[in-house]
Amino acid sequence: MLRNAAGDIPGERRARGNGACALGAVAALVALTLLLAAPSQAIAETLDEALAATYGYNPRIDAERATLRATDEGVARAMSGYRPSINGQADVGRQRIDTRPPSAAEGTLSPRGYAIQLTQPIFRGFRTTNAVNQAEADVRAGREILRNVEQQVLLDAVEAYMDVVRDQEIVRLRENNLKVLSEELRATQDRFAVGEVTKTDVAQSEARRAGAVAQLDFARASVKSSRARYQQVVGHQPGSVSQPRLKEEAIPKSLDDAIAIGTNENPNVVTALYREQSARFAVDLVRGELLPELQLEATYQDRFSSSQFIDEQETAIIAGRLNVPIYDQGGEVYARVRQAKHAHVSLLQEIEVARVEVQAQIVAAWSQLLANRAQIVSAEAQVDANQTALAGVREEERVGQRTLIDVLNAQQELLDSQVNLTTARRDLIVTAYQLQVAIGHLDAVGLGVTGLVYDPEEHYFETRRKWIGTSITPGRVFDTHDGWGAVESHEPSK
């Protein structure tokens, strides 16, 4: 369930005074009047708002949360080893007895009866304890898997947002370029009409304009694709997006700091640690099958018409049963213990594999971040230089020192540098968030983009202490579609 930082469920409202309500109504009326009077335009949406929407509504995150809740049930299954089992039996039949020579036992009977049996485990070779520990380790690993999925989805949202920002800016640049080339073509045609330029100059202008039209069409198609990707990840069409600032405070001070953080906090590394822990408990769980097992059994049985001489017979038994395995299942248990040990050794190595992979990701992201920063500096200098060069070439073309093709080339070089700068700015933001993913810090709450957080422990503790029920809906014991009806849930005391 999503809760805010204060622990309140979204939608709950606190009572306010009548004065506050009146002020709120007036403010709402004024805001509505201004909204109706203002021209229609897209609602501005920041990157943080897009990340908050993604965290709350992305179906991939919801699916992984459901998977984690299913993993929680493994703890409830393991806890059942501490609890008793109660079974009931009943039978009814028809029986005919004939004897040679005839005796009083002959006749027709209707034997029937019922029995109730309770079995309470007392000692199972520590298997229940190890099963619970293993299930809890699996739950902790599942939480890290969920955290990893959340990080990847949030990174997808960052990429989708920045793709829209980049592509819309490229469309603006290419629209402006097309406008300039159109004006250049009209001026060239006018000059051709008075004999100042040749037909070749007109053809060059037409060719550049035609190319600009094709590039603009491609850029607009890219925007549509980026907006569709945005809706897929975030859950709605993008509003008015803008270039976000680089959050320097979220970036480690040095590469060594980033590696130290990532090799300990990256969800893939932490998942590997919990999986190794689960495998260690799995070894002890299988080994427990080689130890004695003790349980208490209680049985009550009531039989009717079991013979011609007995109308009813009641039996009550309480017994302790000890089972000591000596050589069980032809050594199959020993093989499974060895198998579990090999699996544990494998997962020990997986921890090192995860750390090495994370370190490589951090180094790659850090290097790319430095390269993107340098690229932006170079791209900005290139744009300034190309703007100065274009202005100079235009002046030189007017006095006959340059040709029209020189002007067109200078215009194209300026456009290319502007597109490169826009792409570099997009890559810098995306790379910064990729670095946060690598160190395990791309967290919606940690980034401050939302106050509503999913609390996995709420379902975990509810499931852990549940003794009965098939419903996955809070407040019900049995699912209504199973025919049991809606029954209020009453949790047992801890």
Side-chain angles (χ1 to χ4, degrees):
M1 180 180 292
L2 290 175
R3 293 182 178 273
N4 58 28
D8 299 325
I9 300 175
E12 290 184 349
R13 299 179 181 271
R14 295 181 174 86
R16 295 177 173 85
N18 294 332
C21 293
L23 289 175
V26 172
L29 181 59
V30 172
L32 180 60
T33 303
L34 294 176
L35 180 62
L36 294 176
S40 176
Q41 55 182 329
I43 300 176
E45 184 174 28
T46 65
L47 176 56
D48 286 350
E49 290 171 342
L51 291 176
T54 303
Y55 179 79
Y57 304 107
N58 186 275
R60 184 180 170 193
I61 295 179
D62 287 340
E64 193 59 39
R65 289 168 180 167
T67 300
L68 176 59
R69 291 193 292 271
T71 304
D72 291 342
E73 299 294 343
V75 178
R77 294 179 59 185
M79 292 289 293
S80 65
Y82 289 121
R83 301 165 186 157
S85 296
I86 302 175
N87 296 295
Q89 298 177 353
D91 66 275
V92 61
R94 191 72 173 171
Q95 180 179 355
R96 173 66 185 178
I97 301 176
D98 293 318
T99 62
R100 302 291 187 273
S103 66
E106 285 187 337
T108 301
L109 300 175
S110 297
R112 58 194 182 277
Y114 64 90
I116 298 177
Q117 184 178 25
L118 180 145
T119 302
Q120 173 62 60
I122 298 177
F123 179 74
R124 301 181 63 242
F126 305 106
R127 279 184 286 168
T128 301
T129 300
N130 288 309
V132 171
N133 291 336
Q134 182 187 19
E136 289 176 340
D138 291 339
V139 168
R140 289 189 287 268
R143 291 177 183 175
E144 294 303 315
I145 294 174
L146 171 61
R147 190 162 69 94
N148 184 59
V149 170
E150 289 176 348
Q151 287 200 141
Q152 294 301 325
V153 172
L154 291 176
L155 179 60
D156 290 343
V158 171
E159 292 177 349
Y161 186 95
M162 294 309 301
D163 286 347
V164 173
V165 172
R166 176 199 60 194
D167 293 342
Q168 289 187 167
E169 177 63 16
I170 290 177
V171 166
R172 188 191 67 80
L173 291 172
R174 295 203 180 279
E175 286 176 344
N176 181 70
N177 181 60
L178 179 60
K179 180 180 178 181
V180 171
L181 291 177
S182 298
E183 293 174 353
E184 190 73 42
L185 176 58
R186 284 193 294 270
T188 303
Q189 289 171 339
D190 293 340
R191 295 171 65 187
F192 174 74
V194 297
E196 292 184 5
V197 296
T198 66
K199 188 175 181 179
T200 301
D201 294 321
V202 176
Q204 289 174 339
S205 294
E206 290 176 343
R208 287 300 176 92
R209 185 187 181 281
V213 171
Q215 291 175 342
L216 178 57
D217 290 339
F218 181 80
R220 287 172 174 168
S222 297
V223 168
K224 292 180 180 179
S225 177
S226 298
R227 292 176 67 87
R229 171 64 175 161
Y230 183 99
Q231 184 174 13
Q232 176 188 357
V233 177
V234 181
H236 60 261
Q237 281 288 333
S240 177
V241 297
S242 59
Q243 178 73 27
R245 72 173 184 87
L246 178 64
K247 296 183 178 180
E248 296 285 354
E249 64 276 9
I251 300 176
K253 300 300 181 182
S254 66
L255 176 59
D256 291 338
D257 289 344
I259 292 175
I261 296 172
T263 52
N264 288 283
E265 299 183 22
N266 184 283
N268 289 331
V269 174
V270 183
T271 298
L273 289 169
Y274 283 132
R275 282 178 172 171
E276 180 274 330
Q277 187 181 70
S278 174
R280 189 170 359 115
F281 288 124
V283 174
D284 296 333
L285 176 61
V286 179
R287 187 187 286 117
E289 298 181 27
L290 301 175
L291 299 178
E293 182 177 357
L294 177 64
Q295 64 185 27
L296 177 67
E297 298 177 356
T299 304
Y300 173 79
Q301 185 179 39
D302 196 2
R303 303 292 304 172
F304 301 91
S305 301
S306 58
S307 72
Q308 295 285 7
F309 309 104
I310 301 175
D311 292 333
E312 181 179 2
Q313 180 180 358
E314 291 184 90
T315 305
I317 302 174
I318 298 180
R321 187 179 300 277
L322 177 66
N323 179 41
V324 181
I326 298 176
Y327 187 71
D328 193 18
Q329 302 179 26
E332 190 266 348
V333 177
Y334 295 99
R336 286 197 289 118
V337 171
R338 298 192 300 270
Q339 185 182 50
K341 287 182 177 181
H342 288 303
H344 178 229
V345 173
S346 173
L347 290 174
L348 281 172
Q349 300 304 316
E350 289 294 332
I351 297 174
E352 297 306 315
V353 171
R355 283 177 172 157
V356 171
E357 289 179 349
V358 167
Q359 182 173 345
Q361 293 171 5
I362 293 173
V363 172
W366 186 270
S367 301
Q368 188 63 43
L369 184 65
L370 297 181
N372 288 336
R373 283 173 167 167
Q375 187 177 9
I376 287 179
V377 174
S378 299
E380 288 175 343
Q382 188 177 16
V383 169
D384 292 340
N386 282 332
Q387 287 174 340
T388 303
L390 177 59
V393 170
R394 287 187 186 279
E395 291 297 327
E396 293 173 358
E397 192 265 344
R398 289 191 183 97
V399 297
Q401 295 180 353
R402 294 277 187 169
T403 62
L404 178 61
I405 191 63
D406 294 328
V407 176
L408 296 176
N409 289 338
Q411 174 67 28
Q412 184 63 44
E413 289 176 359
L414 174 59
L415 174 63
D416 291 341
S417 62
Q418 289 173 331
V419 171
N420 290 337
L421 176 59
T422 300
T423 303
R425 287 172 174 168
R426 176 264 181 198
D427 293 342
L428 177 65
I429 298 298
V430 171
T431 303
Y433 280 95
Q434 287 175 341
L435 178 61
Q436 293 187 57
V437 170
I439 66 177
H441 282 190
L442 187 54
D443 178 81
V445 180
L447 294 175
V449 300
T450 180
L452 299 177
V453 297
Y454 178 77
D455 183 10
E457 290 191 349
E458 181 179 353
H459 178 268
Y460 167 77
F461 285 113
E462 178 185 356
T463 299
R464 181 187 177 90
R465 61 176 178 260
K466 185 178 292 186
W467 281 53
I468 190 174
T470 60
S471 174
I472 61 174
T473 303
R476 294 179 182 271
V477 174
F478 301 104
D479 286 331
T480 55
H481 64 261
D482 287 337
W484 288 85
V487 183
E488 290 298 324
S489 174
H490 299 281
E491 295 287 355
S493 60
K494 293 183 180 179

